[in-house]
Amino acid sequence: MTATLRLAEELIARPSVTPDDAGCLDIIAARLQTLGFACERMDSGPDAFRVANLWARCGTGRRPTLVWAGHTDVVPTGPLDAWTSDPFVPSHRDGRLFGRGASDMKTSLAAMVVACEQFLAATPRPAIDIAFLLTSDEEGPANDGTVVVCKELQRRGERLDWCIVGEPTSVERTGDMIKNGRRGTMSGKLTVKGIQGHIAYPQLAKNPIHLVAPALAELAATVWDEGNAFFPPTSWQVSNIHGGTGASNVIPGTVVIDFNFRFSTESTPEGLQGRVAEVLARHGLRPGSDYDLAWTLGGLPFLTTPGTLVDAVRAAIQDATGIATELSTTGGTSDGRFIAQICPQVVELGPPNATIHKVDEHVAVADIEPLTAIYRGVLERLNRSAALAG
């Protein structure tokens, strides 16, 4: 059994359902401390939802710095009787490692640690600093995890040059796809006000669903932007509509519509909010008197164009697997959105994601060692680049 597989199994065996770290960070910190990392816990949040955060750095703090980022928390298992084996007992079947977090993302964490152990054993005096930013609050609200650590690092003026987030980005084989950016996410809760009444006497009521329907149709048909070479066009989607009392003979007094933007770097939160207001006004809806609209900005888009980090990752993948990787910005959000605010180059790279959040989550054992080799290859390339730069 390889060192990466052994550590991955040790982490999977910890039932770290968000926000519970279940001791995963202690295991990782112990390994890092033996390598010379200074480990600092930055736990945050109320006692009922305490989040475990780890910041660890090996180096002077003044050299180019590569940050490994990720999360120890996992989503709930769902029905235990639907699993072929206990989700927190690492199990092997047909060349695959099963367990909650096997793909998302405890294998990546293990590969990061082992890659650093191998690299530092071969390069005891590197030209770069290496750091870890880990949390147990990525699958949850993400209010007390990476964002808290990033704010503290920014306050201190800590140097971060490159970051690799270990999210499972691959499709068929480890390394066939990396994320060099992510779309922004912004949600709105639109409450349209009417007058409740008997459905047989509509002249005595005002149906808010009828009021907002033309505006919804226009919002759904709007082209918000065309995207660009890295991002698909911005999308707008309704997720929930709540209206009515449940009775079939009552005109509702209000309707509440939840919607979400996934937006590219071609749009801004302010611009999108303004365009929504324009559509509502065009259909006779006035803020305050006819509707209330609450916005929640979940994260800004970020993009790392080909350059030092992307080139190093591409080369490491090619050497370890023979794959010419695909750059992508598709999918949901990640903690990369927080790190990108304080680090100029952020890339996500991990194993295949076909079973994440599913029953019988697993990763192919054959995908594990290539991931370790890729991570180590990135360290070696960035180290050579920094040494040459002097």
Side-chain angles (χ1 to χ4, degrees), residues 118-139:
Q118 295 174 350
F119 170 74
L120 290 172
T123 314
R125 294 181 179 82
I128 61 173
D129 280 13
I130 308 170
F132 279 76
L133 197 173
L134 307 177
T135 184
S136 69
D137 181 29
E138 196 273 346
E139 300 289 8

Side-chain angles (χ1 to χ4, degrees), residues 113-189:
V113 172
V114 173
C116 287
E117 290 172 341
Q118 295 174 350
F119 170 74
L120 290 172
T123 314
R125 294 181 179 82
I128 61 173
D129 280 13
I130 308 170
F132 279 76
L133 197 173
L134 307 177
T135 184
S136 69
D137 181 29
E138 196 273 346
E139 300 289 8
N143 294 327
D144 289 291
T146 298
V147 64
V148 169
V149 180
C150 286
K151 287 178 180 177
E152 176 60 19
L153 299 180
Q154 186 175 40
R155 186 192 67 80
R156 295 178 185 179
E158 297 241 17
R159 177 172 181 173
L160 283 67
D161 296 88
W162 315 289
C163 178
I164 294 180
V165 185
E167 289 292 342
T169 60
S170 301
V171 181
E172 300 293 337
R173 292 175 55 197
T174 289
D176 62 7
M177 179 179 287
I178 64 174
K179 305 291 185 180
N180 65 318
R182 293 278 191 172
R183 294 174 295 174
T185 177
M186 182 170 63
S187 297
K189 182 179 287 292

Side-chain angles (χ1 to χ4, degrees), residues 179-229:
K179 305 291 185 180
N180 65 318
R182 293 278 191 172
R183 294 174 295 174
T185 177
M186 182 170 63
S187 297
K189 182 179 287 292
L190 174 64
T191 303
V192 180
K193 306 168 186 179
I195 298 174
Q196 182 175 312
H198 196 292
I199 206 160
Y201 300 96
Q203 72 276 14
L204 301 179
K206 185 166 68 171
N207 194 320
I209 298 175
H210 292 190
L211 293 176
V212 75
L216 284 185
E218 181 174 344
L219 290 168
T222 297
V223 176
W224 302 95
D225 61 46
E226 299 290 346
N228 55 37

Side-chain angles (χ1 to χ4, degrees), residues 64-362:
T65 303
L66 170 63
V67 180
W68 299 102
H71 58 91
T72 59
D73 59 321
V74 298
V75 297
T77 62
L80 290 176
D81 59 5
W83 285 71
T84 306
S85 54
D86 189 315
F88 296 113
V89 175
S91 305
H92 289 261
R93 295 187 299 278
D94 303 319
R96 294 173 289 179
L97 169 63
F98 287 80
R100 177 58 87 218
S103 178
D104 189 14
M105 55 176 285
K106 291 182 175 180
T107 295
S108 294
L109 297 179
M112 291 172 178
V113 172
V114 173
C116 287
E117 290 172 341
Q118 295 174 350
F119 170 74
L120 290 172
T123 314
R125 294 181 179 82
I128 61 173
D129 280 13
I130 308 170
F132 279 76
L133 197 173
L134 307 177
T135 184
S136 69
D137 181 29
E138 196 273 346
E139 300 289 8
N143 294 327
D144 289 291
T146 298
V147 64
V148 169
V149 180
C150 286
K151 287 178 180 177
E152 176 60 19
L153 299 180
Q154 186 175 40
R155 186 192 67 80
R156 295 178 185 179
E158 297 241 17
R159 177 172 181 173
L160 283 67
D161 296 88
W162 315 289
C163 178
I164 294 180
V165 185
E167 289 292 342
T169 60
S170 301
V171 181
E172 300 293 337
R173 292 175 55 197
T174 289
D176 62 7
M177 179 179 287
I178 64 174
K179 305 291 185 180
N180 65 318
R182 293 278 191 172
R183 294 174 295 174
T185 177
M186 182 170 63
S187 297
K189 182 179 287 292
L190 174 64
T191 303
V192 180
K193 306 168 186 179
I195 298 174
Q196 182 175 312
H198 196 292
I199 206 160
Y201 300 96
Q203 72 276 14
L204 301 179
K206 185 166 68 171
N207 194 320
I209 298 175
H210 292 190
L211 293 176
V212 75
L216 284 185
E218 181 174 344
L219 290 168
T222 297
V223 176
W224 302 95
D225 61 46
E226 299 290 346
N228 55 37
F230 295 99
F231 285 97
T234 290
S235 69
W236 181 88
Q237 291 290 317
V238 171
S239 56
N240 291 288
I241 298 179
H242 303 280
T245 64
S248 62
N249 60 349
V250 178
I251 292 172
T254 60
V255 62
V256 179
I257 299 154
D258 297 311
F259 61 84
N260 177 265
F261 279 106
R262 292 301 167 104
F263 61 101
S264 75
T265 50
E266 297 297 308
S267 292
T268 65
E270 297 78 13
L272 295 172
Q273 290 176 18
R275 292 178 67 185
V276 169
E278 289 172 2
V279 171
L280 295 174
R282 191 154 48 245
H283 292 278
L285 294 169
R286 299 161 298 174
S289 58
D290 295 315
Y291 73 87
D292 295 322
L293 178 51
W295 292 99
T296 301
L297 179 62
L300 294 169
F302 71 90
L303 177 67
T304 300
T305 55
T308 305
L309 180 58
V310 170
D311 292 350
V313 171
R314 278 174 155 168
I317 291 171
Q318 179 71 46
D319 284 356
T321 68
I323 295 172
T325 192
E326 177 184 351
L327 300 182
S328 172
T329 60
T330 58
T333 59
S334 77
D335 278 356
R337 68 190 190 274
F338 304 126
I339 301 167
Q341 303 305 305
I342 62 171
C343 181
Q345 299 183 56
V346 179
V347 163
E348 299 174 22
L349 165 61
N353 56 25
T355 65
I356 61 174
H357 295 200
K358 291 184 177 181
V359 168
D360 281 350
E361 178 181 350
H362 62 266

